[in-house]
Amino acid sequence: MNLDELRTIMRQCGVEDGVDLDGDILDLEWLELGYDSLAVLEITTAVQHAARTPLPEEEVALLTTPRLLLERLGSLTPAAV
């Protein structure tokens, strides 16, 4: 999973007016990007499915920025297909 793929998923989950996902978003918190906890859950679920990499539920709340999510995905082994 890379940043462009994450941006695509974020757009599919909705984007608040005035939020530029093409800018430097890696270190912005989800709330700053216009995503509430339900939207973040939708994003992380879609990312896990696309990356074929499960994330433990207790960790999802700790992944407060796109960078943290992408870094965490990079540290896990993809699930068997």
Side-chain angles (χ1 to χ4, degrees):
M1 173 73 49
N2 63 41
L3 181 56
D4 287 333
E5 293 168 325
L6 177 57
R7 283 184 172 124
T8 298
I9 289 171
M10 291 169 69
R11 285 186 179 100
Q12 291 169 349
C13 293
V15 180
E16 229 179 70
D17 288 340
V19 174
D20 179 16
L21 293 181
D22 291 320
D24 185 13
I25 65 166
L26 276 175
D27 296 311
L28 295 176
E29 294 204 3
W30 296 114
L31 195 55
E32 292 176 88
L33 293 167
Y35 296 102
D36 63 15
S37 59
L38 185 58
V40 173
L41 181 59
E42 185 178 354
I43 290 168
T44 56
T45 299
V47 164
Q48 291 176 78
H49 179 73
R52 296 186 182 134
T53 304
L55 294 171
E57 285 183 38
E58 61 275 5
E59 288 186 27
V60 171
L62 303 174
L63 306 174
T64 57
T65 66
R67 179 185 305 277
L68 292 174
L69 176 59
L70 291 173
E71 286 176 350
R72 183 65 180 110
L73 286 171
S75 71
L76 296 174
T77 304
V81 179

